[in-house]
């Protein structure tokens, strides 16, 4: 007897979670194996089976595993094709489709997630916008996300903006590259506790201070444009070895930078190209050291 994909999926025992697909022995390279896993990860789930497809714990556990494999697989059009196919399978049930979309957003687009990855989340945004199952309000929200996710992509020149430094001089971001191998830009709010914790950590880290002394790293702390008064009161508390300023371009309001959290961190190379966008604060030092 020949089963359809959904019929075959319904035969699987999912009580212990979604089983991983068996990768053919002929696929030996890590990327090849990851490509296969991403393409077949959800095969055992019938998205019409709402017992599992609408079970938050089941779906989040499965998606966490799925998201951990995605970065190893081939990116670009091949990955988009896989996510398009996945969302098309989920479209057999509108509630299951929404569940998958929500879980993808929670795990890939919330910066506190251990698998946070804007680039991977964009595949899901693009897949939904290409489909027909979203309402007008969701489409508007996703189109805005798509615009934000398209700003300052790694490998592209960092969008320029103007700021006032602590001496009152008007400067441009593009004038601050070249003296160091990398620049860490911290967009912050002077009244943000998380910002203070991060910057205190950086100030006290020996590796960071050595990197600054040896011109391997420049740190720029740029306060929000609407925090000028508080910035004036607090700017001199930050290290003299840092470039400290206040945004006067309104980079967020004018859609020049996507700043989903405070602080928001960007790493830029000596040529002014984005290396990392919206770096998570927790592994900041590791990411700075590992992104050559």
């Amino acid at each position: 007897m020949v089963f359809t994909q959904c019929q075959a999926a319904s035969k699987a025992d999912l009580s212990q979670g979604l089983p991983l697909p068996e990768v053919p022995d002929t696929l030996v390279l890590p990327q090849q194996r990851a490509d296969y896993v991403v393409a077949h990860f959800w095969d055992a789930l019938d998205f019409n089976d709402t017992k599992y497809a609408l079970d938050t714990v089941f779906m989040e556990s499965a998606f966490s595993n799925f998201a951990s494999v995605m970065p190893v697989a081939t990116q670009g059009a091949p990955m988009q094709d896989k996510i398009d196919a996945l969302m098309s399978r989920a479209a057999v049930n509108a509630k299951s489709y929404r569940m998958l979309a929500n879980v993808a957003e929670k795990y890939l687009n919330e910066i506190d997630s251990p698998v946070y990855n804007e680039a991977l989340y964009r595949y899901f945004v693009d897949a939904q916008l290409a489909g027909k199952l979203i309402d007008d309000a969701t489409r508007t929200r996703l189109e805005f996300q798509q615009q934000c996710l398209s700003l300052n992509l790694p490998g592209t020149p960092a969008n320029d903006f103007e700021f006032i430094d602590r001496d009152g001089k008007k400067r441009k971001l593009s004038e601050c590259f070249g003296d160091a191998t990398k620049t860490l830009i911290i967009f912050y709010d002077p009244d943000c506790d998380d910002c203070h914790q991060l910057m205190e950590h950086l100030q006290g880290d020996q590796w960071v201070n050595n990197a600054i002394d040896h011109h391997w790293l420049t740190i720029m702390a740029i306060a929000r444009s609407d925090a000028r008064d508080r910035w004036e009161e607090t700017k001199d508390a930050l290290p003299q070895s840092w470039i400290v300023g206040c945004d006067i371009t309104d980079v967020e309001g004018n859609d020049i930078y996507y700043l989903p959290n405070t602080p928001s961190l960007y790493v830029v190379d000596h040529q002014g190209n984005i290396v990392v966008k919206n770096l998570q604060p927790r592994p900041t030092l590791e990411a700075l050291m590992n992104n050559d």
Side-chain angles (χ1 to χ4, degrees), residues 114-220:
V115 290
Y116 167 78
N117 191 311
E118 280 186 13
L120 297 183
Y121 177 59
R122 187 177 172 184
Y123 294 120
F124 286 89
V125 171
D126 291 350
Q128 291 176 77
L129 288 174
K132 299 179 180 180
L133 279 188
I134 55 176
D135 57 29
D136 290 343
T138 300
R139 180 170 295 278
T140 298
R141 183 175 67 86
L142 290 175
E143 286 175 344
F144 176 72
Q145 286 186 338
Q146 187 183 56
Q147 177 184 351
C148 292
L149 295 170
S150 300
L151 292 173
N152 293 292
L153 295 175
T156 65
N159 287 338
D160 208 2
F161 63 88
E162 290 187 326
F163 65 94
I164 294 289
D165 68 16
R166 54 183 148 193
D167 295 324
K169 180 182 177 182
K170 183 185 294 186
R171 302 176 65 179
K172 288 185 177 182
L173 174 70
S174 57
E175 300 169 349
C176 300
F177 303 131
D179 291 338
T181 304
K182 291 180 184 177
T183 298
L184 172 64
I185 307 173
I186 306 171
F187 293 101
Y188 77 102
D189 187 314
D191 291 324
C192 163
D193 289 338
D194 289 340
C195 300
H196 291 310
Q197 290 177 12
L198 171 68
M199 292 193 287
E200 287 175 5
H201 178 61
L202 292 172
Q203 291 176 56
D205 188 273
Q206 183 177 355
W207 178 85
V208 169
N209 291 320
N210 286 338
I212 293 173
D213 290 341
H214 289 86
H215 303 289
W216 189 87
L217 178 68
T218 293
I219 293 182
M220 295 182 64

Side-chain angles (χ1 to χ4, degrees), residues 8-236:
S10 67
K11 299 288 184 179
D13 179 10
L14 305 183
S15 61
Q16 302 302 313
L18 193 64
L20 292 174
E22 293 187 13
V23 182
D25 293 338
T26 54
L27 301 178
V28 295
L29 297 178
Q31 189 175 64
Q32 291 177 326
R33 297 179 69 83
D35 285 342
Y36 186 91
V37 171
V38 170
H40 297 280
F41 187 92
W42 300 92
D43 285 0
L45 176 64
D46 177 358
F47 283 95
N48 264 324
D49 183 357
T50 55
K51 175 182 178 181
Y52 293 108
L54 297 185
D55 184 321
T56 301
V57 173
F58 176 90
M59 289 297 292
E60 289 191 2
S61 176
F63 196 90
S64 178
N65 292 332
F66 180 65
S68 68
V69 179
M70 288 181 71
V72 186
T74 305
Q75 302 301 306
M79 178 62 75
Q80 188 65 64
D81 289 344
K82 293 178 178 65
I83 302 306
D84 288 347
L86 169 60
M87 297 304 290
S88 293
R89 280 196 59 218
V92 297
N93 186 295
K95 291 183 178 179
S96 298
Y97 184 91
R98 189 74 255 141
M99 168 66 82
L100 178 60
N102 289 341
V103 171
E105 182 168 11
K106 176 179 180 179
Y107 275 76
L108 296 177
N109 198 45
E110 292 186 6
I111 201 163
D112 291 334
S113 167
V115 290
Y116 167 78
N117 191 311
E118 280 186 13
L120 297 183
Y121 177 59
R122 187 177 172 184
Y123 294 120
F124 286 89
V125 171
D126 291 350
Q128 291 176 77
L129 288 174
K132 299 179 180 180
L133 279 188
I134 55 176
D135 57 29
D136 290 343
T138 300
R139 180 170 295 278
T140 298
R141 183 175 67 86
L142 290 175
E143 286 175 344
F144 176 72
Q145 286 186 338
Q146 187 183 56
Q147 177 184 351
C148 292
L149 295 170
S150 300
L151 292 173
N152 293 292
L153 295 175
T156 65
N159 287 338
D160 208 2
F161 63 88
E162 290 187 326
F163 65 94
I164 294 289
D165 68 16
R166 54 183 148 193
D167 295 324
K169 180 182 177 182
K170 183 185 294 186
R171 302 176 65 179
K172 288 185 177 182
L173 174 70
S174 57
E175 300 169 349
C176 300
F177 303 131
D179 291 338
T181 304
K182 291 180 184 177
T183 298
L184 172 64
I185 307 173
I186 306 171
F187 293 101
Y188 77 102
D189 187 314
D191 291 324
C192 163
D193 289 338
D194 289 340
C195 300
H196 291 310
Q197 290 177 12
L198 171 68
M199 292 193 287
E200 287 175 5
H201 178 61
L202 292 172
Q203 291 176 56
D205 188 273
Q206 183 177 355
W207 178 85
V208 169
N209 291 320
N210 286 338
I212 293 173
D213 290 341
H214 289 86
H215 303 289
W216 189 87
L217 178 68
T218 293
I219 293 182
M220 295 182 64
I222 304 296
R224 297 171 58 96
S225 59
D226 58 359
R228 179 75 176 267
D229 290 343
R230 282 292 293 141
W231 173 77
E232 291 282 2
E233 296 171 0
T234 59
K235 61 186 180 181
D236 291 329

